[in-house]
């Protein structure tokens, strides 16, 4: 993410893997490029990143590395091998003390937070771990103005020193254009 105060809107670019030059694309094209890169890998992972840049007068300057999620349940050899590769790659990023970890866990029982447990192993005091509770929509019928913060806080089950928040992303129907700039 790059803050460009003189920009008139969000500008999305992808670094060409051959030329290393930045090429502007629409959000839909960027999503397709990322999806195609995932499909190319099949049942493997790669340490070669796909670089995406978003420039906007509303962005902060920040670099984000989106890593694949851990795979805890694997029934065949191919998936077990993929899980091991993902674990090695993720743990190499997690071990670097310069990296802040955005730990994404589904809302619900904090006892099942396997990724947070992995973060705790390399960051026992949560000095560089931020918990993001997602999928609160599963609990919309249970959420009220009075208890939504308790859901984010894990009803008291989460360590008090752990920074956390809930995140709701924009949504629009598939096969339709993005309704407007959101970056």
């Amino acid at each position: 993410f790059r803050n460009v105060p003189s920009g008139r809107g969000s500008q999305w670019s992808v670094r060409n893997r051959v030329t290393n030059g930045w090429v502007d694309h629409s959000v839909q094209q960027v999503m397709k490029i990322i999806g195609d890169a995932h499909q190319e890998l099949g049942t493997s992972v790669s340490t070669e990143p796909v670089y995406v840049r978003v420039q906007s007068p509303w962005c902060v300057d920040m670099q984000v590395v989106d890593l694949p999620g851990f795979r805890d349940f694997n029934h065949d050899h191919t998936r077990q091998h993929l899980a091991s590769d993902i674990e090695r790659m993720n743990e190499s990023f997690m071990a670097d003390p310069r990296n802040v970890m955005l730990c994404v866990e589904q809302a619900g029982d904090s006892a099942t937070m396997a990724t947070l447990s992995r973060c705790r192993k390399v960051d026992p005091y949560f000095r560089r771990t931020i918990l993001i509770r997602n999928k609160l929509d599963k609990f919309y019928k249970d959420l009220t103005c009075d208890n939504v913060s308790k859901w984010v806080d894990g009803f008291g089950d989460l360590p008090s020193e752990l920074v956390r928040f809930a995140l709701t992303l924009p949504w629009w129907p598939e096969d339709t254009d993005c309704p407007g700039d959101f970056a």
Side-chain angles (χ1 to χ4, degrees):
F1 296 93
R2 247 180 105 203
N3 179 271
V4 180
S6 61
R8 289 182 286 204
S10 59
Q11 176 185 354
W12 293 72
S13 308
V14 176
R15 185 185 292 173
N16 183 296
R17 290 192 264 181
V18 176
T19 67
N20 283 329
W22 289 100
V23 180
D24 293 344
H25 296 282
S26 69
V27 174
Q28 293 82 4
Q29 290 171 312
V30 170
M31 299 299 281
K32 182 174 180 351
I33 291 167
I34 297 298
D36 290 349
H38 284 214
Q39 291 301 317
E40 282 176 20
L41 295 173
T43 57
S44 65
V45 292
S46 171
T47 57
E48 180 184 337
V50 176
Y51 292 97
V52 176
R53 181 170 64 190
V54 180
Q55 297 183 145
S56 164
W58 308 288
C59 285
V60 295
D61 290 327
M62 173 174 55
Q63 183 175 350
V64 176
V65 177
D66 183 14
L67 298 169
F70 290 104
R71 309 280 201 283
D72 289 325
F73 304 104
N74 306 290
H75 301 291
D76 63 46
H77 178 71
T78 302
R79 288 192 174 115
Q80 289 171 358
H81 183 72
L82 174 62
S84 296
D85 289 347
I86 289 171
E87 189 168 332
R88 270 192 301 280
M89 182 169 58
N90 289 354
E91 288 178 351
S92 72
F93 277 87
M94 293 169 73
D96 187 334
R98 298 170 298 173
N99 292 335
V100 173
M101 296 176 287
L102 302 178
C103 175
V104 180
E105 292 277 14
Q106 288 188 31
D109 185 0
S110 61
T112 61
M113 293 188 174
T115 303
L116 184 60
S117 296
R118 291 171 192 250
C119 291
R120 179 179 254 156
K121 287 179 183 174
V122 295
D123 183 27
Y125 302 106
F126 299 115
R127 292 189 176 121
R128 56 189 188 88
T129 302
I130 298 171
L131 174 62
I132 300 172
R133 307 293 305 268
N134 72 354
K135 303 210 177 178
L136 279 168
D137 55 304
K138 289 183 172 184
F139 303 99
Y140 275 161
K141 292 178 183 172
D142 300 325
L143 292 176
T144 67
C145 294
D146 298 325
N147 73 8
V148 70
S149 292
K150 291 177 184 175
W151 277 97
V152 174
D153 290 340
F155 287 93
D157 289 344
L158 298 174
S160 60
E161 66 273 15
L162 178 63
V163 176
R164 58 205 171 263
F165 64 94
L167 178 67
T168 300
L169 297 173
W171 179 88
W172 58 90
E174 198 158 326
D175 297 327
T176 64
D177 290 337
C178 173
D181 286 345
F182 61 90

